[in-house]
Amino acid sequence: SGHRVGEVMEYIAMDTLRDGPVADLLHDTEKLIVKQKFEAVEAMANAAANAVNLDALGNLGEVANKYDVYTDNGGDKFRVVEQSDYCGLTGRCCCNPNHKLKLHVYAPEVSPKDEVMVFDRPCKCGQCCACCGCCQQEMIVNNGTGRDQVGYIKQPFLGGGFSPKLQVMERDGDDPYCTIESDATCCIAGMCCDHTFRIKDHDGNEIGKIVKQKPSSFQEVATELASDSDVFAIEFNKDLDVNKKATLFGALYLIDYMFFENEGEANVDVVNQKVSYKLCDLYCCGCTCPCKISCGGKDSGDSN
């Protein structure tokens, strides 16, 4: 009897988005545009850190992310706000971008104060080999109460090898019903091109994609050079289940924190009279290593 009650409660929890306001918001949705808000304080802290060649100073200005989400015709859809501690062993100041956080998703047309979804990500050892639980990135997607789980995203063992990969399932330990894998091999991030992550079901059929879009204007170039503000797009089949759409929407943010929270792509080091620019991150088995070009430096004119 108790076992049966547990099964019923789990079914109800899994069905919450199908019966709530998110069902109306996502049912016919095929594409969303996600724009991260520019934070001036963060950009200034990063510039100051670069100027004195002290990277840790940039983390002191790290603020919680905020995102505006639109339909492909420009209509407002969601507001997403990060909740995280500033200090502490798992806070932004110490662990950014791998810090513990919750993303609260609001739908302005439903309620400006009540969440419709909550994305929960624990603190992990990022940018290292995804060979154990403490290094494998993950995110839990919950309904608006934050208590009933809707979906789960996890980085697989060794992170997909040479191409970044995520597995999407209903619960940790379940068989994945789809995977998200980058088109790129051995490199990720950078501003020179779009970065596409294909979403495929367990039969290998493409059911959507997540794209980190390259800057399309001088203003967007300047914004990405000075901060970690990015623009994403997510597309999925119109008839895809609402719970799956919500979980894939959460996966977009996990990808952002994993690969595109770079605190600016260009560094101007006044102390050492040096300028550097990050071309991309080299990727292998979950490990990332920045690939940069630089010029100048106090010792650049010295002979060996």
Side-chain angles (χ1 to χ4, degrees):
S1 175
H3 179 67
R4 177 59 180 167
V5 170
E7 289 180 341
V8 171
M9 291 302 295
E10 182 173 351
Y11 174 80
I12 293 173
M14 288 303 299
D15 216 41
T16 49
L17 292 188
R18 297 189 184 101
D19 298 330
V22 177
D24 296 328
L25 293 167
L26 290 179
H27 183 265
D28 294 326
T29 299
E30 295 181 81
K31 184 175 182 178
L32 294 171
I33 307 297
V34 179
K35 296 184 178 182
Q36 183 176 346
K37 287 191 174 182
F38 174 76
E39 300 289 352
V41 171
E42 196 171 87
M44 288 188 291
N46 186 50
N50 293 336
V52 298
N53 193 28
L54 188 62
D55 291 341
L57 180 61
N59 279 353
L60 296 179
E62 182 65 29
V63 300
N65 288 353
K66 300 181 182 68
Y67 303 83
D68 292 324
V69 184
Y70 306 93
T71 58
D72 55 352
N73 61 6
D76 285 346
K77 201 72 168 179
F78 299 109
R79 297 284 183 271
V80 181
V81 180
E82 176 189 328
Q83 176 192 0
S84 58
D85 293 333
Y86 177 72
C87 297
L89 296 178
T90 61
R92 298 190 306 274
C93 184
C94 296
C95 299
N96 177 67
N98 303 297
H99 56 289
K100 178 181 178 181
L101 61 88
K102 287 186 178 181
L103 293 173
H104 298 269
V105 184
Y106 302 89
E109 65 182 74
V110 176
S111 171
K113 298 185 297 182
D114 298 324
E115 301 96 327
V116 294
M117 292 178 283
V118 179
F119 306 148
D120 191 351
R121 189 193 74 160
C123 181
K124 296 286 182 175
C125 298
Q127 291 76 51
C128 62
C129 183
C131 58
C132 58
C134 65
C135 300
Q136 291 171 271
Q137 297 285 341
E138 61 183 305
M139 179 173 279
I140 300 169
V141 176
N142 298 307
N143 72 346
T145 67
R147 296 188 298 270
D148 295 330
Q149 185 170 327
V150 173
Y152 179 76
I153 310 113
K154 186 173 184 178
Q155 189 178 29
F157 179 69
L158 296 183
F162 297 117
S163 294
K165 186 176 183 178
L166 295 172
Q167 294 176 329
V168 186
M169 58 202 80
E170 292 185 351
R171 294 284 193 279
D172 187 15
D174 289 352
D175 292 332
Y177 57 76
C178 71
T179 58
I180 305 171
E181 187 167 5
S182 173
D183 280 352
T185 303
C186 294
C187 67
I188 193 69
M191 294 171 53
C192 62
C193 62
D194 289 345
H195 296 278
T196 302
F197 296 78
R198 306 282 176 184
I199 305 169
K200 296 182 179 181
D201 63 19
H202 55 79
D203 294 322
N205 301 311
E206 187 170 325
I207 58 174
K209 63 181 178 180
I210 296 170
V211 181
K212 189 276 178 183
Q213 299 179 341
K214 67 179 180 181
S216 59
S217 66
F218 178 78
Q219 181 181 359
E220 288 186 3
V221 170
T223 298
E224 288 202 24
L225 286 173
S227 72
D228 55 7
S229 181
D230 302 308
V231 179
F232 286 84
I234 181 170
E235 299 178 25
F236 22 55
N237 292 352
K238 184 177 180 179
D239 59 352
L240 193 65
D241 179 78
V242 169
N243 282 350
K244 293 180 179 179
K245 285 185 179 181
T247 305
L248 294 173
F249 182 47
L252 180 152
Y253 296 94
L254 181 57
I255 288 172
D256 182 29
Y257 282 98
M258 287 175 65
F259 301 115
F260 300 104
E261 288 284 293
N262 294 312
E263 299 302 324
E265 305 283 349
N267 293 331
V268 180
D269 182 351
V270 177
V271 172
N272 294 309
Q273 301 171 18
K274 182 179 179 180
V275 176
S276 65
Y277 173 73
K278 193 182 84 167
L279 297 173
C280 64
D281 284 321
L282 302 180
Y283 181 88
C284 179
C285 300
C287 300
T288 58
C289 178
C291 178
K292 297 182 178 181
I293 57 172
S294 61
C295 62
K298 290 182 177 180
D299 299 327
S300 59
D302 296 345
S303 60
N304 293 328

